[in-house]
């Protein structure tokens, strides 16, 4: 287990932002992860868990405590059952399942970060969410002081949410187990219209899983959502804001504001979200509020490829990023009466 003091955290995040940690511990086994967590809890030391760093906004002052970088490895495939160590690179794991001819997570290709983060956020894209295939999550329960196995049905998954996100100080994910599908090399039925259109098929159709993965990677790359060290448009946390989910009354009020601002012939995106709720598009709201691709004049700007991605153009600070995020959030609220919520986890700062 490697230990460093006054260690920079920015290189461990996809934003390349944030100050140093008082102490940085890198754990390469589950036992080392548990030992580091127990030590911090026993000593009363603040603890920051870092996986792939693709969902973190860390304060410029850094983190006064122990940052635990989970760098465990483990990819085990038994038939259609997959187990990933928390530190496994997610995008690489997706590629390996597709190479094995299995379906279920092929449309989650190119998402940065580690496997351990996927159940926390209920990671999803292009019509798939990990909740559709997760069977169990193995985690260290800091309250009970023991390792527990949580069945997928007990993870309380919802849109970009889970019991692990609900109680972030309690669980440290160690391993994630999935049940995939052997469809003779074909993908799961395509649920996302954009993916189906790009492939020239209908929603609900299947295509070769490798073709679905390659198509998603191209779609993501076109939006700056595939990490590229040379392209500052990808120095981001992916989608910075979640798509708002509105009650029927909130939705009606939003439609009225949209018609007033844009004209009665404009129809904002709307998708059923269950229990009478309606999900709309954060990207649409941002664009129509006047924050177009490439917006900004400083070191932190909206991506030139996608309005949902806030980027570090090089030399930005966390405060630069947050100033832009607040401007976008407040502008959307002023224009449409809808308050956007950040998806990345903030450490030592708040939006």
């Amino acid at each position: 287990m490697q230990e460093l003091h006054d260690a920079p955290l920015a290189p461990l995040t996809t934003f390349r932002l944030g100050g140093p940690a008082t102490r940085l511990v890198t754990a390469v086994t589950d036992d080392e992860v548990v030992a580091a967590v127990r030590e911090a809890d026993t000593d009363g030391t603040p603890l920051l868990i870092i996986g792939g760093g693709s969902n973190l906004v860390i304060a410029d002052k850094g983190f006064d405590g122990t940052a635990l970088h989970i760098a465990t490895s483990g990819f085990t495939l038994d038939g259609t059952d997959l187990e990933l160590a928390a530190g496994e690179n997610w995008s690489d794991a997706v590629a390996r399942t597709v190479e094995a001819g299995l379906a279920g997570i092929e449309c989650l290709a190119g998402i940065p970060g580690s496997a351990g983060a996927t159940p926390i956020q209920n990671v999803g894209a292009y019509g798939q969410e990990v909740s559709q295939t997760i069977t169990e999550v193995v985690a260290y329960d800091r309250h009970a002081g023991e390792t527990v196995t949580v069945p997928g049905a007990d993870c309380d998954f919802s849109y970009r949410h889970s019991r692990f996100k609900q109680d972030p100080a309690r669980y440290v994910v160690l391993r994630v187990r999935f049940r995939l599908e052997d469809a003779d090399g074909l993908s799961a039925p395509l649920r996302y219209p954009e993916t189906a259109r790009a492939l020239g098929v209908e929603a609900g159709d299947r295509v070769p899983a490798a073709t679905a993965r390659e198509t998603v990677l191209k779609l993501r790359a076109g939006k700056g959502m595939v990490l590229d060290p040379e392209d500052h448009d990808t120095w981001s946390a992916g989608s910075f804001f979640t798509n708002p989910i509105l009650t029927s009354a909130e939705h009606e009020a939003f439609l009225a504001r949209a018609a007033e601002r844009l004209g009665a012939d404009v129809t904002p995106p709307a998708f059923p979200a269950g229990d009478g709720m309606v999900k709309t598009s954060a990207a649409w709201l941002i664009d129509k509020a006047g924050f177009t691709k490439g917006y900004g004049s400083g070191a932190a700007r909206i991506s030139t490829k996608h309005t949902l991605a806030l980027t570090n153009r090089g030399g930005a600070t966390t405060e630069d990023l947050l100033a832009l995020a607040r401007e976008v959030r407040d502008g959307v609220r002023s224009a449409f009466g809808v308050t956007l919520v950040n998806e990345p986890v903030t450490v030592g700062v708040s939006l």
Side-chain angles (χ1 to χ4, degrees):
M1 188 157 56
Q2 184 186 66
E3 180 177 330
L4 298 172
H5 294 269
D6 195 28
L9 297 180
L12 297 179
T13 75
T14 53
F15 267 126
R16 276 78 163 181
L17 296 176
T22 306
R23 177 172 175 256
L24 172 63
V25 173
T26 300
V28 297
T29 69
D30 290 355
D31 286 345
E32 288 183 354
V33 172
V34 171
V37 174
R38 282 179 171 161
E39 179 186 5
D41 288 347
T42 299
D43 296 342
T45 303
L47 181 67
L48 171 63
I49 305 296
I50 301 178
S54 61
N55 204 44
L56 285 178
V57 179
I58 300 174
D60 291 317
K61 65 183 179 182
F63 182 70
D64 185 12
T66 295
L68 171 59
H69 181 210
I70 297 180
T72 54
S73 60
F75 177 103
T76 304
L77 195 57
D78 182 9
T80 58
D81 291 335
L82 170 68
E83 179 180 281
L84 296 177
E88 279 288 327
N89 179 282
W90 173 253
S91 190
D92 290 348
V94 171
R96 292 176 70 178
T97 65
V98 171
E99 289 170 2
L102 299 178
I105 56 175
E106 62 280 357
C107 290
L108 302 178
I111 293 177
S114 60
T118 60
I120 298 171
Q121 290 289 116
N122 185 17
V123 163
Y126 295 97
Q128 290 181 346
E129 291 182 332
V130 292
S131 58
Q132 297 163 348
T133 51
I134 286 178
T135 57
E136 294 178 330
V137 177
V138 180
Y140 178 67
D141 183 341
R142 298 169 68 182
H143 291 186
E146 62 183 13
T147 298
V148 297
T149 299
V150 183
D154 294 337
C155 291
D156 299 336
F157 288 125
S158 60
Y159 174 65
R160 301 298 175 270
H161 203 70
S162 69
R163 71 184 293 176
F164 311 107
K165 187 175 180 179
Q166 179 69 31
D167 197 355
R170 179 168 182 175
Y171 297 101
V172 178
V173 175
L174 301 174
R175 298 190 167 263
V176 190
R177 294 172 180 152
F178 304 80
R179 179 153 298 139
L180 305 178
E181 178 187 7
D182 185 350
D184 294 325
L186 296 179
S187 69
L190 299 172
R191 294 185 173 91
Y192 200 69
E194 183 183 9
T195 313
R197 285 195 302 269
L199 286 161
V201 299
E202 299 294 324
D205 288 349
R206 295 176 184 262
V207 298
T211 302
R213 173 181 173 270
E214 291 162 6
T215 300
V216 165
L217 286 173
K218 289 178 182 177
L219 290 171
R220 291 185 63 87
K223 300 173 183 178
M225 296 291 188
V226 177
L227 286 176
D228 179 351
E230 303 303 317
D231 183 359
H232 286 254
D233 256 356
T234 70
W235 287 27
S236 73
S239 299
F240 194 88
F241 297 103
T242 58
N243 290 323
I245 296 179
L246 310 174
T247 65
S248 57
E250 289 169 341
H251 187 237
E252 289 300 320
F254 161 54
L255 291 178
R257 294 282 288 270
E260 179 182 347
R261 181 181 178 90
L262 304 172
D265 59 335
V266 173
T267 303
F271 311 93
D275 298 325
M277 309 289 279
V278 179
K279 181 167 66 176
T280 191
S281 166
W284 186 93
L285 288 165
I286 292 167
D287 181 70
K288 298 304 181 185
F291 303 101
T292 53
K293 295 174 184 176
Y295 179 88
S297 58
R301 303 181 198 176
I302 291 177
S303 168
T304 63
K305 300 181 181 73
H306 200 294
T307 54
L308 263 184
L310 307 188
T311 66
N312 171 11
R313 308 305 299 180
T317 66
T318 299
E319 281 306 313
D320 292 334
L321 177 77
L322 292 175
L324 175 62
R326 293 176 187 126
E327 184 184 1
V328 171
R329 178 201 60 191
D330 295 347
V332 167
R333 184 165 52 203
S334 175
F336 299 110
V338 176
T339 300
L340 296 178
V341 176
N342 53 289
E343 184 168 341
V345 175
T346 56
V347 178
V349 291
S350 62
L351 195 57

